[in-house]
């Protein structure tokens, strides 16, 4: 049997790929070892489940946190996005999803490129423009903003990646509060509790998202593999590969779950009780029609706001989905499918960083057989 | 043997391995063929994905498929190589990402070369998802995000096999009410179209249909939309057609210019945002631009790419009445809007060609 060889066209394309790889390697070699700087691109271990990179657009002071904006190669570009040139090719920055991260988050070994200098300034301008109150979507790109594919990408990839990065230690969230004189022990405990709970919550979100990501990738992979195997009889090999990948993911998820449990148990085992925790008991907006949402104050010392959602007793489902959205924003801040009903309704503790002062909408749906049924919407106002 | 694509990517950074390159090529070919079938594209002309010169995927030793593999290889392993190698720093393998990139490749291609088909897909999918959220429809099997193979029913316990083999004749009539908004509605006006579509879904139930496969509603609606929209291209007056007007704004289609309409849209967006103008004019320009994109896509997918002769100035005028009716733009505004778009498009094309970021996007079989 004669051995197959590459055709002229195939050889040409393979050579283009090799040349591109060599070029990238040369560029990368120039930046080895130097610490993170504005204009750099990084991947993060914490967001390795998502195909995103982080562009550093700004820094607070010489040693302060970086403003990091996620970027990816999804072909859709919406009103709040910007395509930029980088040393490693084009990247689409999702400018509404930036956050401040401590320098320690960026390992020099995970630097993957740099922004083109002109594009750095364009990106900063875009971030500022998007953050402005009253930002108007571009009519030329509005079609993409409303595209289900785009919304799905933002919901399933960009927002979870942002949440996972946030769990690393966003500067605002993880800077220990200044200790008031005379209460060192309590304050220290509260700071520690806040860190444990926030890290725990972050990991919980991450684990949930990771499980979804695993299911999604596995479903995509397996559907492609199954179709292929029908044609080429490679089912066994495909299944082995998918099973191995799934196993690795499950092991990773299990390990994270164990870490989460350990953190939770440390919080539970804390020697001091948490005094005067804020609690918001919310009635559905339709019940309160015509009255303003009640405001809740969360003191700097309180790590979480406990929320109890009341609803009709007839709305019984095996599980509930909750989506938290800030007023004026289309993108949810956070969402979970993991809620269960108790005698009091549905209860959860929201980390303070999820609900800075402002107005929020909480949408609760019942889940049965993979389908979501709206149950109630709630309004929540947070003041300082 | 380890994960093939990951192994290949790693080899690119060291010593290139021809056998590995060949294996990757063959694997990619298999994946693409499978995707074409899964997406219901195998029986559509290759021009729907920007592959020209073949009328079917299977003719002439599957030459069109080979062309598609070359385009996809370039999309993943040349254009996005930097992104993949970056992810490889933090992941043990990127096999899943390759499949994701194939998905993105199809998205980009479909949106670019079959904008009408893609637009109809997005609108019907959005309406079906809304119907599921509102409890009007239930996902009986398949992807809950509603894809081609998802089976939807009017009750949670509706029998899946009640889906009729063909809904074509029923669904095609929907366009009597849906067009032109199914294609042209923008922003929040799209919600009216989704509402209408949900109403049409409910009508299926009243006709005794208990469940249906998403694709069985989508495909006939796509085909009918393409037909009706193509007919619009020939409905000009006094010898002029909207297509001619399109050509005057975009003298070169992406096939000739090697630059994607998506990219041109981004240039246009940036250019318009820098121009002082009232919001209504900006809105008109965006609406007209969207219309031109669909027209170019429709004619390109239908294979009518012959350059149009004709002196500037006389052609677009003759089709203005039709365009004005379709888009709701005052007829007297159209000459000025066309003129602005023409200037911007010319600048954008020049910029795109001279810029370092342009790259070949479409392929055409060599003549002869």
């Amino acid at each position: 049997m004669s051995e197959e060889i590459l055709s002229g066209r195939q050889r040409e394309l393979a050579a283009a790929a090799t040349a591109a790889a060599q070029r990238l390697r040369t560029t990368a070699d120039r930046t080895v070892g130097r610490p993170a700087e504005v204009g750099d691109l990084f991947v993060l271990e914490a967001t390795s489940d998502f195909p995103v990179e982080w562009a550093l657009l700004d820094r607070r002071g010489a040693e302060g946190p970086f403003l990091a904006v996620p970027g990816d190669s999804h072909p859709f570009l919406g009103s709040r996005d910007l395509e930029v040139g980088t040393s490693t090719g084009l990247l689409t920055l999702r400018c509404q999803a930036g956050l401040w991260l401590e320098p320690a988050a960026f390992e020099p070994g995970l630097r993957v490129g740099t922004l083109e200098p002109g594009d750095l300034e364009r990106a900063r301008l875009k971030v500022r423009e998007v953050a402005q109150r009253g930002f108007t979507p571009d009519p030329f790109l509005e079609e993409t903003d409303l595209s289900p594919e785009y919304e799905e990408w933002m919901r399933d990839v960009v927002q979870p990646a942002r949440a996972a990065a946030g769990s690393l230690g966003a500067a605002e969230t993880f800077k220990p509060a200044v200790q008031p004189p005379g209460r060192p022990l309590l304050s220290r405990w509260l700071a520690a509790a806040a860190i444990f709970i926030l890290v725990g919550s972050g990991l919980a979100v991450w684990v949930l998202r990771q499980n979804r990501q695993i299911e999604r990738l596995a479903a995509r992979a397996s559907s492609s593999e199954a179709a292929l195997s029908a044609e080429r009889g490679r089912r066994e090999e495909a299944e082995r590969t998918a099973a191995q990948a799934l196993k690795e993911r499950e092991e990773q998820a299990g390990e994270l779950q164990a870490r989460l449990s350990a953190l939770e148990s440390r919080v539970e085992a804390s020697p001091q009780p948490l005094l005067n925790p804020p609690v918001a008991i919310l009635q559905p907006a339709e019940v309160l029609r015509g009255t303003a949402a009640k405001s809740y104050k969360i003191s700097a010392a309180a790590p979480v706001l406990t929320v109890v959602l009341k609803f009709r007793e007839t709305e019984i489902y095996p599980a509930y989905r909750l989506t938290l959205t800030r007023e004026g924003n289309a993108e949810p801040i956070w969402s979970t499918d993991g809620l269960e009903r108790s005698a009091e309704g549905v209860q959860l503790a929201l980390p303070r960083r999820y609900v800075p002062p402002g107005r929020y909408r909480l949408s609760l749906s019942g889940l049965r057989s993979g389908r979501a049924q709206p149950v109630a919407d709630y309004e929540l106002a947070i003041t300082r | 043997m380890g994960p093939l694509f990951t192994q290949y990517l790693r080899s690119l950074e060291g010593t290139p391995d021809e056998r590995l390159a060949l294996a990757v090529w063959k694997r990619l070919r298999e994946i693409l063929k499978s995707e074409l079938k899964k997406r219901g594209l195998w029986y559509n002309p290759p021009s729907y994905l920007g592959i020209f010169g073949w009328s079917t995927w299977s003719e002439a030793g599957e030459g069109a498929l080979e062309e598609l593999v070359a385009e996809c290889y370039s999309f993943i392993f040349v254009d996005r190589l930097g992104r993949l190698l970056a992810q490889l720093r933090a992941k043990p393998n990127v096999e899943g990402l390759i499949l994701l990139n194939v998905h993105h490749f199809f998205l980009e291609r479909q949106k670019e070369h079959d904008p009408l088909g893609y637009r109809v897909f997005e609108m019907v999918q959005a309406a079906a998802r809304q119907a599921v959220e509102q409890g009007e429809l239930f996902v009986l099997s398949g992807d809950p995000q509603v894809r081609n193979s998802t089976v939807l029913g009017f009750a949670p316990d509706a029998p899946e096999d009640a889906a009729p083999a063909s809904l074509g004749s029923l669904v095609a009539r929907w366009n009597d009410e849906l067009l032109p908004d199914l294609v042209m509605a923008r922003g929040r006006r799209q919600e009216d179209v989704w509402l209408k579509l949900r109403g049409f879904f409910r009508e299926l139930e009243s006709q005794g249909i208990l469940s249906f496969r998403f694709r069985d509603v989508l495909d006939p609606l796509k085909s009918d939309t393409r037909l009706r929209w193509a007919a619009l291209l020939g409905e000009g007056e006094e010898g002029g057609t909207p297509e001619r007007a399109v050509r005057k704004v975009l003298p070169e289609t992406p096939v000739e210019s090697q630059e994607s309409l998506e990219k041109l849209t981004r240039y246009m967006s940036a250019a318009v945002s820098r121009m002082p103008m009232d919001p209504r004019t900006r809105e008109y320009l965006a609406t007209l631009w969207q219309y031109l994109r669909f027209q170019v896509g429709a004619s390109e997918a239908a294979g009518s790419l012959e350059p149009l002769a004709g002196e500037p100035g006389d052609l677009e005028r003759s089709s203005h009445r039709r365009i004005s009716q379709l888009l709701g733009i005052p007829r007297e505004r159209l000459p000025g809007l066309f003129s602005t778009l023409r200037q911007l498009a010319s600048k954008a094309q020049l910029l795109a060609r001279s810029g370092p970021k342009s790259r070949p996007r479409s392929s055409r079989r060599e003549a002869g």
Side-chain angles (χ1 to χ4, degrees), chain B residues 167-191:
Chain B
L167 290 168
S169 55
L170 276 175
V171 171
R173 284 203 294 271
W174 295 359
N175 265 339
D176 294 345
E177 285 184 46
L178 290 173
L179 283 176
D181 288 351
L182 178 65
V183 177
M184 287 309 304
R186 301 178 57 248
R188 296 294 159 198
R189 275 184 54 216
Q190 294 184 142
E191 285 172 13

PDB file of all heavy atoms in Angstrom, chain B residues 167-191:
ATOM      1  N   LEU B 167     -43.563  19.906   6.699  1.00  0.00           N
ATOM      2  CA  LEU B 167     -44.447  21.017   7.076  1.00  0.00           C
ATOM      3  C   LEU B 167     -44.339  22.130   6.041  1.00  0.00           C
ATOM      4  O   LEU B 167     -44.861  23.218   6.236  1.00  0.00           O
ATOM      5  CB  LEU B 167     -44.030  21.565   8.446  1.00  0.00           C
ATOM      6  CG  LEU B 167     -44.290  20.665   9.646  1.00  0.00           C
ATOM      7  CD1 LEU B 167     -43.571  21.214  10.866  1.00  0.00           C
ATOM      8  CD2 LEU B 167     -45.782  20.589   9.940  1.00  0.00           C
ATOM      9  N   GLY B 168     -43.618  21.822   4.967  1.00  0.00           N
ATOM     10  CA  GLY B 168     -43.251  22.840   3.984  1.00  0.00           C
ATOM     11  C   GLY B 168     -44.401  23.716   3.528  1.00  0.00           C
ATOM     12  O   GLY B 168     -44.319  24.942   3.581  1.00  0.00           O
ATOM     13  N   SER B 169     -45.500  23.085   3.091  1.00  0.00           N
ATOM     14  CA  SER B 169     -46.577  23.870   2.484  1.00  0.00           C
ATOM     15  C   SER B 169     -47.235  24.775   3.530  1.00  0.00           C
ATOM     16  O   SER B 169     -47.622  25.907   3.227  1.00  0.00           O
ATOM     17  CB  SER B 169     -47.610  22.939   1.858  1.00  0.00           C
ATOM     18  OG  SER B 169     -48.064  22.027   2.835  1.00  0.00           O
ATOM     19  N   LEU B 170     -47.330  24.269   4.774  1.00  0.00           N
ATOM     20  CA  LEU B 170     -47.934  25.078   5.838  1.00  0.00           C
ATOM     21  C   LEU B 170     -47.055  26.276   6.183  1.00  0.00           C
ATOM     22  O   LEU B 170     -47.523  27.415   6.268  1.00  0.00           O
ATOM     23  CB  LEU B 170     -48.086  24.229   7.108  1.00  0.00           C
ATOM     24  CG  LEU B 170     -49.302  23.329   7.250  1.00  0.00           C
ATOM     25  CD1 LEU B 170     -49.180  22.506   8.528  1.00  0.00           C
ATOM     26  CD2 LEU B 170     -50.558  24.189   7.314  1.00  0.00           C
ATOM     27  N   VAL B 171     -45.776  25.971   6.378  1.00  0.00           N
ATOM     28  CA  VAL B 171     -44.853  26.986   6.893  1.00  0.00           C
ATOM     29  C   VAL B 171     -44.578  28.085   5.870  1.00  0.00           C
ATOM     30  O   VAL B 171     -44.469  29.259   6.233  1.00  0.00           O
ATOM     31  CB  VAL B 171     -43.537  26.300   7.347  1.00  0.00           C
ATOM     32  CG1 VAL B 171     -42.479  27.317   7.676  1.00  0.00           C
ATOM     33  CG2 VAL B 171     -43.808  25.406   8.546  1.00  0.00           C
ATOM     34  N   ALA B 172     -44.478  27.698   4.602  1.00  0.00           N
ATOM     35  CA  ALA B 172     -44.129  28.693   3.573  1.00  0.00           C
ATOM     36  C   ALA B 172     -45.145  29.836   3.543  1.00  0.00           C
ATOM     37  O   ALA B 172     -44.791  30.975   3.219  1.00  0.00           O
ATOM     38  CB  ALA B 172     -44.033  28.017   2.215  1.00  0.00           C
ATOM     39  N   ARG B 173     -46.385  29.540   3.914  1.00  0.00           N
ATOM     40  CA  ARG B 173     -47.420  30.591   3.883  1.00  0.00           C
ATOM     41  C   ARG B 173     -47.194  31.652   4.972  1.00  0.00           C
ATOM     42  O   ARG B 173     -47.714  32.751   4.881  1.00  0.00           O
ATOM     43  CB  ARG B 173     -48.808  29.958   4.059  1.00  0.00           C
ATOM     44  CG  ARG B 173     -49.302  29.265   2.793  1.00  0.00           C
ATOM     45  CD  ARG B 173     -50.828  29.163   2.809  1.00  0.00           C
ATOM     46  NE  ARG B 173     -51.309  28.292   3.865  1.00  0.00           N
ATOM     47  CZ  ARG B 173     -51.488  26.971   3.746  1.00  0.00           C
ATOM     48  NH1 ARG B 173     -51.209  26.381   2.606  1.00  0.00           N
ATOM     49  NH2 ARG B 173     -51.936  26.235   4.745  1.00  0.00           N
ATOM     50  N   TRP B 174     -46.464  31.283   6.012  1.00  0.00           N
ATOM     51  CA  TRP B 174     -46.219  32.228   7.092  1.00  0.00           C
ATOM     52  C   TRP B 174     -45.594  33.521   6.565  1.00  0.00           C
ATOM     53  O   TRP B 174     -45.817  34.599   7.100  1.00  0.00           O
ATOM     54  CB  TRP B 174     -45.280  31.624   8.161  1.00  0.00           C
ATOM     55  CG  TRP B 174     -45.836  30.453   8.899  1.00  0.00           C
ATOM     56  CD1 TRP B 174     -47.067  29.883   8.750  1.00  0.00           C
ATOM     57  CD2 TRP B 174     -45.176  29.695   9.908  1.00  0.00           C
ATOM     58  NE1 TRP B 174     -47.202  28.814   9.595  1.00  0.00           N
ATOM     59  CE2 TRP B 174     -46.057  28.676  10.323  1.00  0.00           C
ATOM     60  CE3 TRP B 174     -43.914  29.765  10.502  1.00  0.00           C
ATOM     61  CZ2 TRP B 174     -45.731  27.745  11.299  1.00  0.00           C
ATOM     62  CZ3 TRP B 174     -43.576  28.840  11.478  1.00  0.00           C
ATOM     63  CH2 TRP B 174     -44.480  27.839  11.879  1.00  0.00           C
ATOM     64  N   ASN B 175     -44.778  33.373   5.521  1.00  0.00           N
ATOM     65  CA  ASN B 175     -44.059  34.546   5.012  1.00  0.00           C
ATOM     66  C   ASN B 175     -44.975  35.605   4.413  1.00  0.00           C
ATOM     67  O   ASN B 175     -44.553  36.751   4.247  1.00  0.00           O
ATOM     68  CB  ASN B 175     -43.007  34.118   3.982  1.00  0.00           C
ATOM     69  CG  ASN B 175     -41.643  33.948   4.635  1.00  0.00           C
ATOM     70  OD1 ASN B 175     -41.402  34.495   5.704  1.00  0.00           O
ATOM     71  ND2 ASN B 175     -40.767  33.199   4.008  1.00  0.00           N
ATOM     72  N   ASP B 176     -46.229  35.225   4.089  1.00  0.00           N
ATOM     73  CA  ASP B 176     -47.167  36.243   3.601  1.00  0.00           C
ATOM     74  C   ASP B 176     -47.270  37.363   4.630  1.00  0.00           C
ATOM     75  O   ASP B 176     -47.411  38.528   4.290  1.00  0.00           O
ATOM     76  CB  ASP B 176     -48.572  35.635   3.397  1.00  0.00           C
ATOM     77  CG  ASP B 176     -48.572  34.593   2.286  1.00  0.00           C
ATOM     78  OD1 ASP B 176     -47.595  34.563   1.515  1.00  0.00           O
ATOM     79  OD2 ASP B 176     -49.533  33.811   2.213  1.00  0.00           O
ATOM     80  N   GLU B 177     -47.200  36.975   5.900  1.00  0.00           N
ATOM     81  CA  GLU B 177     -47.319  37.977   6.968  1.00  0.00           C
ATOM     82  C   GLU B 177     -45.977  38.384   7.561  1.00  0.00           C
ATOM     83  O   GLU B 177     -45.851  39.458   8.125  1.00  0.00           O
ATOM     84  CB  GLU B 177     -48.195  37.426   8.107  1.00  0.00           C
ATOM     85  CG  GLU B 177     -49.657  37.413   7.769  1.00  0.00           C
ATOM     86  CD  GLU B 177     -50.496  36.954   8.951  1.00  0.00           C
ATOM     87  OE1 GLU B 177     -50.260  37.436  10.064  1.00  0.00           O
ATOM     88  OE2 GLU B 177     -51.362  36.091   8.738  1.00  0.00           O
ATOM     89  N   LEU B 178     -45.005  37.474   7.456  1.00  0.00           N
ATOM     90  CA  LEU B 178     -43.736  37.755   8.152  1.00  0.00           C
ATOM     91  C   LEU B 178     -42.808  38.690   7.379  1.00  0.00           C
ATOM     92  O   LEU B 178     -42.070  39.473   7.963  1.00  0.00           O
ATOM     93  CB  LEU B 178     -43.001  36.450   8.451  1.00  0.00           C
ATOM     94  CG  LEU B 178     -43.630  35.546   9.504  1.00  0.00           C
ATOM     95  CD1 LEU B 178     -42.895  34.215   9.565  1.00  0.00           C
ATOM     96  CD2 LEU B 178     -43.586  36.207  10.873  1.00  0.00           C
ATOM     97  N   LEU B 179     -42.801  38.569   6.067  1.00  0.00           N
ATOM     98  CA  LEU B 179     -41.874  39.396   5.288  1.00  0.00           C
ATOM     99  C   LEU B 179     -42.445  40.808   5.073  1.00  0.00           C
ATOM    100  O   LEU B 179     -43.659  40.939   4.969  1.00  0.00           O
ATOM    101  CB  LEU B 179     -41.593  38.738   3.932  1.00  0.00           C
ATOM    102  CG  LEU B 179     -40.626  37.561   3.978  1.00  0.00           C
ATOM    103  CD1 LEU B 179     -40.500  36.927   2.597  1.00  0.00           C
ATOM    104  CD2 LEU B 179     -39.248  37.975   4.475  1.00  0.00           C
ATOM    105  N   PRO B 180     -41.655  41.820   4.974  1.00  0.00           N
ATOM    106  CA  PRO B 180     -40.194  41.835   5.019  1.00  0.00           C
ATOM    107  C   PRO B 180     -39.608  41.889   6.437  1.00  0.00           C
ATOM    108  O   PRO B 180     -38.408  41.845   6.609  1.00  0.00           O
ATOM    109  CB  PRO B 180     -39.841  43.118   4.261  1.00  0.00           C
ATOM    110  CG  PRO B 180     -40.980  44.035   4.553  1.00  0.00           C
ATOM    111  CD  PRO B 180     -42.204  43.162   4.666  1.00  0.00           C
ATOM    112  N   ASP B 181     -40.490  41.981   7.463  1.00  0.00           N
ATOM    113  CA  ASP B 181     -39.955  42.183   8.813  1.00  0.00           C
ATOM    114  C   ASP B 181     -39.103  41.020   9.308  1.00  0.00           C
ATOM    115  O   ASP B 181     -38.185  41.217  10.108  1.00  0.00           O
ATOM    116  CB  ASP B 181     -41.093  42.445   9.810  1.00  0.00           C
ATOM    117  CG  ASP B 181     -41.691  43.823   9.617  1.00  0.00           C
ATOM    118  OD1 ASP B 181     -41.102  44.604   8.848  1.00  0.00           O
ATOM    119  OD2 ASP B 181     -42.747  44.115  10.204  1.00  0.00           O
ATOM    120  N   LEU B 182     -39.416  39.819   8.864  1.00  0.00           N
ATOM    121  CA  LEU B 182     -38.612  38.672   9.286  1.00  0.00           C
ATOM    122  C   LEU B 182     -37.133  38.930   8.982  1.00  0.00           C
ATOM    123  O   LEU B 182     -36.247  38.545   9.733  1.00  0.00           O
ATOM    124  CB  LEU B 182     -39.084  37.406   8.551  1.00  0.00           C
ATOM    125  CG  LEU B 182     -38.322  36.119   8.829  1.00  0.00           C
ATOM    126  CD1 LEU B 182     -38.488  35.681  10.276  1.00  0.00           C
ATOM    127  CD2 LEU B 182     -38.787  34.990   7.909  1.00  0.00           C
ATOM    128  N   VAL B 183     -36.878  39.625   7.892  1.00  0.00           N
ATOM    129  CA  VAL B 183     -35.502  39.931   7.488  1.00  0.00           C
ATOM    130  C   VAL B 183     -35.059  41.297   7.997  1.00  0.00           C
ATOM    131  O   VAL B 183     -33.945  41.452   8.489  1.00  0.00           O
ATOM    132  CB  VAL B 183     -35.378  39.878   5.943  1.00  0.00           C
ATOM    133  CG1 VAL B 183     -33.978  40.276   5.498  1.00  0.00           C
ATOM    134  CG2 VAL B 183     -35.711  38.479   5.439  1.00  0.00           C
ATOM    135  N   MET B 184     -35.933  42.270   7.908  1.00  0.00           N
ATOM    136  CA  MET B 184     -35.477  43.644   8.106  1.00  0.00           C
ATOM    137  C   MET B 184     -35.724  44.248   9.485  1.00  0.00           C
ATOM    138  O   MET B 184     -35.158  45.289   9.798  1.00  0.00           O
ATOM    139  CB  MET B 184     -36.133  44.564   7.059  1.00  0.00           C
ATOM    140  CG  MET B 184     -35.573  44.403   5.655  1.00  0.00           C
ATOM    141  SD  MET B 184     -33.777  44.505   5.542  1.00  0.00           S
ATOM    142  CE  MET B 184     -33.455  46.089   6.284  1.00  0.00           C
ATOM    143  N   ALA B 185     -36.597  43.633  10.303  1.00  0.00           N
ATOM    144  CA  ALA B 185     -36.884  44.249  11.610  1.00  0.00           C
ATOM    145  C   ALA B 185     -35.598  44.378  12.416  1.00  0.00           C
ATOM    146  O   ALA B 185     -34.787  43.449  12.451  1.00  0.00           O
ATOM    147  CB  ALA B 185     -37.897  43.411  12.368  1.00  0.00           C
ATOM    148  N   ARG B 186     -35.417  45.520  13.042  1.00  0.00           N
ATOM    149  CA  ARG B 186     -34.208  45.739  13.819  1.00  0.00           C
ATOM    150  C   ARG B 186     -34.567  46.101  15.247  1.00  0.00           C
ATOM    151  O   ARG B 186     -35.678  46.567  15.527  1.00  0.00           O
ATOM    152  CB  ARG B 186     -33.364  46.849  13.187  1.00  0.00           C
ATOM    153  CG  ARG B 186     -32.972  46.503  11.777  1.00  0.00           C
ATOM    154  CD  ARG B 186     -32.168  47.580  11.085  1.00  0.00           C
ATOM    155  NE  ARG B 186     -30.974  47.868  11.852  1.00  0.00           N
ATOM    156  CZ  ARG B 186     -30.756  49.005  12.488  1.00  0.00           C
ATOM    157  NH1 ARG B 186     -31.649  49.955  12.437  1.00  0.00           N
ATOM    158  NH2 ARG B 186     -29.659  49.188  13.164  1.00  0.00           N
ATOM    159  N   GLY B 187     -33.610  45.868  16.152  1.00  0.00           N
ATOM    160  CA  GLY B 187     -33.799  46.248  17.546  1.00  0.00           C
ATOM    161  C   GLY B 187     -35.048  45.612  18.138  1.00  0.00           C
ATOM    162  O   GLY B 187     -35.364  44.454  17.881  1.00  0.00           O
ATOM    163  N   ARG B 188     -35.775  46.407  18.906  1.00  0.00           N
ATOM    164  CA  ARG B 188     -36.933  45.871  19.625  1.00  0.00           C
ATOM    165  C   ARG B 188     -38.080  45.484  18.697  1.00  0.00           C
ATOM    166  O   ARG B 188     -38.995  44.786  19.109  1.00  0.00           O
ATOM    167  CB  ARG B 188     -37.409  46.895  20.659  1.00  0.00           C
ATOM    168  CG  ARG B 188     -36.381  47.168  21.730  1.00  0.00           C
ATOM    169  CD  ARG B 188     -36.144  45.922  22.578  1.00  0.00           C
ATOM    170  NE  ARG B 188     -34.862  45.985  23.266  1.00  0.00           N
ATOM    171  CZ  ARG B 188     -34.228  44.941  23.780  1.00  0.00           C
ATOM    172  NH1 ARG B 188     -34.736  43.734  23.655  1.00  0.00           N
ATOM    173  NH2 ARG B 188     -33.070  45.078  24.386  1.00  0.00           N
ATOM    174  N   ARG B 189     -38.026  45.970  17.441  1.00  0.00           N
ATOM    175  CA  ARG B 189     -39.097  45.597  16.497  1.00  0.00           C
ATOM    176  C   ARG B 189     -39.067  44.104  16.197  1.00  0.00           C
ATOM    177  O   ARG B 189     -40.039  43.541  15.712  1.00  0.00           O
ATOM    178  CB  ARG B 189     -38.952  46.404  15.208  1.00  0.00           C
ATOM    179  CG  ARG B 189     -39.614  47.774  15.296  1.00  0.00           C
ATOM    180  CD  ARG B 189     -39.525  48.506  13.975  1.00  0.00           C
ATOM    181  NE  ARG B 189     -40.064  47.722  12.880  1.00  0.00           N
ATOM    182  CZ  ARG B 189     -39.552  47.728  11.646  1.00  0.00           C
ATOM    183  NH1 ARG B 189     -38.507  48.465  11.374  1.00  0.00           N
ATOM    184  NH2 ARG B 189     -40.086  46.995  10.704  1.00  0.00           N
ATOM    185  N   GLN B 190     -37.939  43.484  16.474  1.00  0.00           N
ATOM    186  CA  GLN B 190     -37.843  42.033  16.249  1.00  0.00           C
ATOM    187  C   GLN B 190     -38.844  41.271  17.125  1.00  0.00           C
ATOM    188  O   GLN B 190     -39.312  40.209  16.761  1.00  0.00           O
ATOM    189  CB  GLN B 190     -36.428  41.542  16.562  1.00  0.00           C
ATOM    190  CG  GLN B 190     -35.390  42.080  15.615  1.00  0.00           C
ATOM    191  CD  GLN B 190     -34.018  41.509  15.873  1.00  0.00           C
ATOM    192  OE1 GLN B 190     -33.279  41.245  14.970  1.00  0.00           O
ATOM    193  NE2 GLN B 190     -33.675  41.317  17.126  1.00  0.00           N
ATOM    194  N   GLU B 191     -39.157  41.869  18.285  1.00  0.00           N
ATOM    195  CA  GLU B 191     -40.065  41.176  19.209  1.00  0.00           C
ATOM    196  C   GLU B 191     -41.444  40.963  18.590  1.00  0.00           C
ATOM    197  O   GLU B 191     -42.104  39.969  18.858  1.00  0.00           O
ATOM    198  CB  GLU B 191     -40.166  41.954  20.524  1.00  0.00           C
ATOM    199  CG  GLU B 191     -38.908  41.757  21.354  1.00  0.00           C
ATOM    200  CD  GLU B 191     -38.852  42.640  22.581  1.00  0.00           C
ATOM    201  OE1 GLU B 191     -39.888  43.231  22.919  1.00  0.00           O
ATOM    202  OE2 GLU B 191     -37.769  42.739  23.176  1.00  0.00           O
TER     203      GLU B 191
END
